[in-house]
Amino acid sequence: MQVIAALIADLEATPLGTRSRLADDLRGRPVLRRTVEQLTRARQLSGVHVLCPANQIERCRTLLTGTPAQLHAFDPDAGPGSALVRSARKWSLDGWRGGIGGTTAFDEYTPAPLMAGLLQSVPADAVLPVPPAAVLVDPELTDRLIDARRAAGEDVRMMFMPGPPGLAGVLLDRAVVEELARERLPLGSVFSYKPDKPAKDLIFQPCCCEPPAAVRYVAARLIADTRRSTECLASLLADHPTPDVETIGTWLSRHEATTVEPLPREVEVELTTLDPYPDAVLRPRGQQLQRDATIDPALVEKVTAELSGYDDSLVVLGGFGDPLRHPRFEEVIRRLPRSTPRQAGIYGLAVTTTGVDLTESIMATLIETGVDVLNIMLEAWSPLLYAALQAPSAPATADLPALLERLKCCEDCRLQRRSPLPLLVPGLTKARQNVEEIDTFHDECLRRWGAVQITGASHHARQTPDHRVINMAPAARTTCRRLRRRCLVLADGRVTLCDQDLRGLYTIGSLREQTLAELWHSPAFQQVRDAHRRGQFAPNPLCAACEEWQRP
């Protein structure tokens, strides 16, 4: 079996929509060269092929002088599918899977038409797509992947290794590549659950090659295609210039447990505490909050301006009210700077809403401004249960069929404008009241919209009734990961530790007086992080009663 590696290298922009760093120096060598040199150490590869835009051939040739990589020109014209994959992956860049609609890290740098075109001109039985900025792609794991594919026999047409994106990857037989190209499907479609064709998850099938234990559960992006991941890789290489897999796993685990980045990766912004369903059962709203506020758009701009310093920053407009109830919602959306390879701004933007106030005008604004995700919290699939959960005191005001019709109009609006965005993601809070509808909800949402979100109910550190089906918290308490990754801005401008603080009892300061960076690294915030690291959770009453600490 002849296996080649294929790298889609654009020196201007990445498929993620970030600035390309392939020509940047990383600890003494260009990023693209580092990746190619790693691959040339794999004994089982018969060649390394780099595809780049025709007008970049000479620049790539200069970067790769002295390496055996073969260069090919391609047309960088991307179709709408690339925008869909890009937005679907934004909230899961550190994991090999978990993207909206079943997308995986393998989708980001594996355009099937280009892979199929390469295989038409290069004699090979299989191709290993590799992110061109995967500077730590491991040659031994690459060989192990190829050996596993050869040993698997004809019934297996691909082989993949789960783990941190950029360390290993996926090996595709020629027939699989040709089929994906012919059907114009992303690679993630092979991994995703299909309600009408249920099958065992590929991770439990012979096509899955087990990763080393050291990196099996590590969350990190080992691809130098964002500022954050590049800084992480630079630090790792400074400590270990030629790290093996065990060293990488140990370093990343320590880094995740101890490092507080300059700014949070994700910020949830509560635009208002107003909500069309103030007495909703599964989500604290209205009187339960014991506060009332609507945010000044200038504060939203202040947050997003700071976050623009990192090209993978995420913002969710949500909180404990419906953002569409903000009287200047469309203005807020239009004033948010969005990132491009040449412009700083917010990388990922999502809106979480009941959808009750969704209009054609608002949908048009979401499309025009490139909002990535529209998360509609339905909470049930049957009209009676929907009304009982959303508006128990006035069930006649909660009309699920009307809402579904409104979502259909939004889809039509998107189709008319030929836009894949925003991705419509219906959501449900899993609870005792709706658990019998979950299977139907899940499958019907996938059929209609291709995506679904199901989250567990929370008692918000014993501040609200406990509607959980079962306690999913592990037996042994560990540090809350979210304290180092995200925070919540309340509608009055105060910043709180996390989304369990519905009443804003334990805020660390206000954006009216301080910057987000100052609050993120404030003594109050750091005191809680340090206590968690020591295994002490009592200093903050919410932490002591919380059972959501295991969430990513």
Side-chain angles (χ1 to χ4, degrees):
M1 171 182 271
Q2 294 293 310
V3 179
I4 60 171
L7 293 74
I8 311 297
D10 188 328
L11 301 181
E12 302 297 330
T14 74
L16 297 180
T18 57
R19 177 183 71 82
S20 174
R21 292 164 169 80
L22 297 180
D24 290 7
D25 180 87
L26 180 61
R27 306 296 301 176
R29 281 179 289 165
V31 167
L32 179 60
R33 187 181 186 90
R34 275 185 172 274
T35 304
V36 168
E37 289 177 347
Q38 284 288 101
L39 289 170
T40 56
R41 291 167 50 205
R43 295 174 289 101
Q44 306 288 2
L45 285 174
S46 59
V48 178
H49 297 260
V50 177
L51 290 76
C52 62
N55 62 355
Q56 298 178 13
I57 283 283
E58 292 308 315
R59 291 170 63 192
C60 282
R61 196 185 311 279
T62 300
L63 291 173
L64 298 174
T65 298
T67 71
Q70 300 181 48
L71 292 177
H72 308 261
F74 78 94
D75 180 1
D77 182 29
S82 61
L84 190 151
V85 169
R86 180 166 60 247
S87 289
R89 283 290 302 160
K90 287 183 178 181
W91 273 264
S92 52
L93 292 180
D94 284 356
W96 74 271
R97 73 189 311 179
I100 296 171
T103 50
T104 70
F106 306 140
D107 291 292
E108 299 167 3
Y109 289 92
T110 311
L114 286 183
M115 297 291 122
L118 177 64
L119 289 175
Q120 288 177 0
S121 59
V122 177
D125 303 299
V127 60
L128 180 78
V130 177
V135 295
L136 293 181
V137 59
D138 190 83
E140 292 185 10
L141 295 185
T142 298
D143 286 335
R144 185 189 302 181
L145 199 66
I146 297 171
D147 286 338
R149 171 62 193 89
R150 285 174 175 154
E154 296 181 0
D155 291 338
V156 175
R157 303 194 306 164
M158 61 177 285
M159 188 66 62
F160 73 99
M161 182 176 291
L167 188 61
V170 61
L171 179 63
L172 304 173
D173 283 13
R174 176 187 290 269
V176 174
V177 174
E178 293 173 347
E179 180 180 330
L180 291 172
R182 184 172 56 253
E183 301 294 331
R184 303 186 68 82
L185 292 172
L187 181 55
S189 64
V190 178
F191 291 88
S192 59
Y193 167 76
K194 301 171 183 62
D196 300 317
K197 293 182 180 179
K200 184 189 296 185
D201 193 321
L202 292 186
I203 203 167
F204 301 114
Q205 296 193 38
C207 60
C208 178
C209 183
E210 279 294 309
V215 294
R216 183 173 289 125
Y217 302 113
V218 170
R221 187 171 184 83
L222 301 180
I223 308 173
D225 51 8
T226 70
R227 176 183 170 183
R228 205 179 307 264
S229 62
T230 302
E231 289 177 350
C232 176
L233 286 164
S235 295
L236 195 163
L237 290 169
D239 292 342
H240 307 282
T242 57
D244 58 18
V245 174
E246 294 292 327
T247 301
I248 291 172
T250 300
W251 190 94
L252 288 174
S253 296
R254 184 176 64 253
H255 179 79
E256 181 184 14
T258 60
T259 301
V260 179
E261 295 171 341
L263 287 167
R265 182 167 306 193
E266 178 180 338
V267 174
E268 186 170 5
V269 180
E270 181 184 75
L271 296 189
T272 179
T273 55
L274 298 174
D275 196 277
Y277 298 136
D279 59 347
V281 174
L282 302 183
R283 296 170 297 117
R285 294 294 189 266
Q287 294 297 325
Q288 292 185 72
L289 306 184
Q290 300 177 10
R291 55 188 179 85
D292 184 13
T294 295
I295 202 167
D296 182 348
L299 292 182
V300 184
E301 281 193 280
K302 179 179 180 178
V303 171
T304 55
E306 274 197 82
L307 291 175
S308 295
Y310 278 85
D311 55 3
D312 62 351
S313 294
L314 306 171
V315 170
V316 178
L317 302 182
F320 297 100
D322 193 319
L324 271 57
R325 286 270 153 134
H326 191 288
R328 297 161 66 185
F329 173 76
E330 291 187 62
E331 177 189 339
V332 169
I333 290 290
R334 292 186 182 280
R335 287 168 64 172
L336 297 184
R338 299 306 307 281
S339 67
T340 69
R342 293 180 177 83
Q343 173 182 310
I346 294 303
Y347 179 56
L349 180 59
V351 177
T352 299
T353 173
T354 61
V356 171
D357 299 308
L358 191 59
T359 64
E360 186 174 338
S361 172
I362 288 177
M363 189 63 182
T365 297
L366 300 180
I367 292 171
E368 292 166 12
T369 55
V371 170
D372 297 286
V373 178
L374 180 60
N375 182 203
I376 309 290
M377 296 306 298
L378 298 181
E379 306 294 32
W381 192 246
S382 65
L384 286 177
L385 184 58
Y386 175 81
L389 293 177
Q390 298 286 51
S393 62
T397 64
D399 190 342
L400 180 60
L403 176 56
L404 295 179
E405 184 61 31
R406 192 175 300 117
L407 294 185
K408 185 180 183 304
C409 291
C410 290
E411 286 185 274
D412 293 341
C413 181
R414 194 177 59 179
L415 289 172
Q416 290 168 5
R417 289 167 170 77
R418 297 182 179 181
S419 172
L421 304 178
L423 302 174
L424 293 179
V425 182
L428 176 145
T429 304
K430 180 181 177 181
R432 293 190 301 274
Q433 294 91 328
N434 59 15
V435 67
E436 293 184 358
E437 289 196 5
I438 285 183
D439 289 346
T440 301
F441 179 90
H442 180 271
D443 289 359
E444 286 300 322
C445 288
L446 284 182
R447 291 187 183 102
R448 291 194 183 201
W449 298 288
V452 65
Q453 178 196 45
I454 295 180
T455 55
S458 171
H459 53 64
H460 293 84
R462 303 297 173 187
Q463 298 179 94
T464 60
D466 189 354
H467 299 294
R468 295 175 300 172
V469 177
I470 188 172
N471 181 5
M472 298 298 293
R477 180 74 185 263
T478 58
T479 300
C480 178
R481 295 170 62 188
R482 290 197 159 199
L483 291 174
R484 296 185 303 277
R485 298 175 63 90
R486 67 190 307 273
C487 64
L488 170 65
V489 178
L490 299 177
D492 58 7
R494 291 180 298 156
V495 175
T496 189
L497 298 175
C498 74
D499 59 9
Q500 301 301 295
D501 190 8
L502 65 132
R503 298 190 177 104
L505 300 177
Y506 301 98
T507 56
I508 53 175
S510 174
L511 288 170
R512 297 181 184 278
E513 289 84 32
Q514 294 175 277
T515 66
L516 179 62
E518 289 171 343
L519 294 168
W520 182 242
H521 293 279
S522 65
F525 214 144
Q526 195 57 43
Q527 182 181 21
V528 175
R529 294 189 186 107
D530 291 342
H532 273 237
R533 195 174 295 123
R534 295 191 301 268
Q536 299 172 356
F537 308 105
N540 185 295
L542 288 185
C543 294
C546 179
E547 292 180 310
E548 302 298 317
W549 49 268
Q550 81 280 7
R551 294 182 301 159

